[in-house]
Amino acid sequence: MANNAIMGRLWNLWTGFVALWVTDIEKQHPEIAYQNSIASMTEKYAKLKQASGRFIARRLEIEDRLQSARAELEKVATQLNAALATNQDDLALVLIQKKNILEANIAELTADADSAQKDAESAKSSLISVQNEIKKLKAEKE
C-alpha cells in the first residue's frame, strides 16, 4: 500500500515537471497554443457538423411522415363524407376511428417536428459560434 502511495506521488511529481516544461515552451512559442486550440475547435466543429446532419435528417423524416399522415387524413375525411352521404354507418364508424387515430398521430408528429426544428436551429447556432471562434483564434494567432 505504501508502495502505491510513493508511486502516485512520483507520478504527480513527474506530471508536474512535464506541465511546467510545456508551459515554458508555450510561453516561448504562443503560436503552438493557438494552433492546438484551433485544431481542437476544428475537431469540435466537425463533430457538431455531423450531429447537425443527423438533426436535419431527423427533421426531414418527421416532416415526411407528417405530410403522409395529413394526406391520409384528407383521404379518410373524403371517404367518411361519402360514407355518411350514402348511409353506410358501419363504414363511417370505422372511418371515424381511423380519423381519430390519424389526428392523434398528427398531433404527436407536429410536436416532434417542432422539437426537431428547435434541435436543428440550436445545432446551427452552435456551428456558427464554433466557426466564429475558429476565425477569432486564427486572427489572434496572426
Side-chain angles (χ1 to χ4, degrees), residues 71-103:
E72 181 71 19
L73 181 61
E74 284 183 33
K75 189 171 137 181
V76 168
T78 303
Q79 292 172 346
L80 178 60
N81 289 336
L84 291 173
T86 58
N87 291 327
Q88 296 176 344
D89 293 337
D90 293 342
L91 179 59
L93 288 174
V94 171
L95 290 172
I96 289 172
Q97 289 174 345
K98 189 172 183 179
K99 180 182 173 201
N100 291 338
I101 292 170
L102 284 170
E103 286 173 344

Side-chain angles (χ1 to χ4, degrees), residues 113-124:
D114 290 343
S115 174
Q117 179 66 29
K118 288 177 185 173
D119 290 345
E121 289 298 321
S122 175
K124 180 181 173 183

Side-chain angles (χ1 to χ4, degrees), residues 14-25:
W14 173 252
T15 56
F17 282 131
V18 170
L20 287 173
W21 178 68
V22 169
T23 301
D24 286 342
I25 290 175

Side-chain angles (χ1 to χ4, degrees), residues 118-130:
K118 288 177 185 173
D119 290 345
E121 289 298 321
S122 175
K124 180 181 173 183
S125 67
S126 294
L127 275 174
I128 292 170
S129 174
V130 170

